[in-house]
Amino acid sequence: MQAEEATKGNATMSMSNAARARIRSHEKVVYSYYDDGGRPGRGNCTWGIGTLAHKGPCTDEELKTKVGAAEVEAAFASRIADAEHAVRRNVSRQILNQNQFDALVSFVYNVGAHGAKATFKRVDAGDFQAAAMGIAQSNKMWIKTKHGSKLVLARGLIQRREEESAPFRTTAK
């Protein structure tokens, strides 16, 4: 019965406007391609509001490419809808409150549905403490170095992960 209620309850949820604004503040809006590793030649090629163009740094040509506001906003709306759908599809046994739903959508927006797989399992099993810990610890990224790649702390993700994990630190709904 609880799984049926969760499916129904979560099926009607959508990300709040406040949560959308938080994503925009964390991701910023960039009308060109850039490397998300903090400096050119590091991280992944990204554009708009944290939209991944491809893994690995941008080419010199990509770094010169401008992106229009309409394209940025369309990609943002599409990625939010995809993240909402992933949360609804993967959390079927637990009824989420708005803050939990928003936090999971934000997390999925940033790491992708595949990257959130373990978190979905923890939340759906009702292990909110483990979900909170997993979200908070997802604050590293691979960067390209002269000798290959290495995993580094992404300082820009620390506050974001704290915000995303907060609704799961307590089992109160």
Side-chain angles (χ1 to χ4, degrees):
M1 184 67 173
Q2 186 177 357
E4 186 177 312
E5 290 173 12
T7 301
K8 287 179 183 176
N10 298 336
T12 61
M13 296 190 85
S14 61
M15 183 176 233
S16 70
N17 289 334
R20 287 171 187 260
R22 277 193 302 278
I23 287 179
R24 292 176 81 92
S25 73
H26 286 298
E27 296 284 355
K28 308 294 183 232
V29 181
V30 182
Y31 297 103
S32 62
Y33 285 69
Y34 64 95
D35 290 325
D36 71 355
R39 304 192 298 242
R42 302 186 101 172
N44 296 311
C45 187
T46 307
W47 62 276
I49 306 172
T51 300
L52 179 69
H54 59 78
K55 297 275 187 181
C58 296
T59 64
D60 288 339
E61 185 176 314
E62 287 170 326
L63 290 172
K64 296 174 188 171
T65 303
K66 301 296 179 200
V67 182
E71 189 175 3
V72 167
E73 294 305 321
F76 182 65
S78 176
R79 289 187 60 219
I80 292 289
D82 289 348
E84 289 172 333
H85 178 70
V87 171
R88 288 187 214 107
R89 184 179 65 244
N90 287 284
V91 180
S92 61
R93 288 183 251 164
Q94 298 296 320
I95 298 173
L96 300 173
N97 65 35
Q98 187 66 53
N99 289 334
Q100 291 166 334
F101 185 83
D102 287 348
L104 278 180
V105 172
S106 176
F107 185 63
V108 172
Y109 185 93
N110 189 244
V111 303
H114 181 74
K117 190 174 178 181
T119 300
F120 286 145
K121 286 181 180 180
R122 292 172 182 141
V123 170
D124 212 29
D127 192 351
F128 290 177
Q129 294 296 322
M133 185 180 298
I135 292 169
Q137 292 175 345
S138 296
N139 58 7
K140 296 172 184 69
M141 66 182 286
W142 287 98
I143 63 165
K144 186 177 179 179
T145 67
K146 291 179 183 178
H147 306 290
S149 297
K150 71 177 182 177
L151 191 62
V152 298
L153 179 66
R155 297 195 188 285
L157 290 177
I158 295 170
Q159 180 63 38
R160 180 176 184 163
R161 295 298 185 253
E162 285 301 312
E163 290 172 12
E164 292 167 341
S165 64
F168 297 100
R169 287 193 207 117
T170 176
T171 56
K173 294 189 181 192

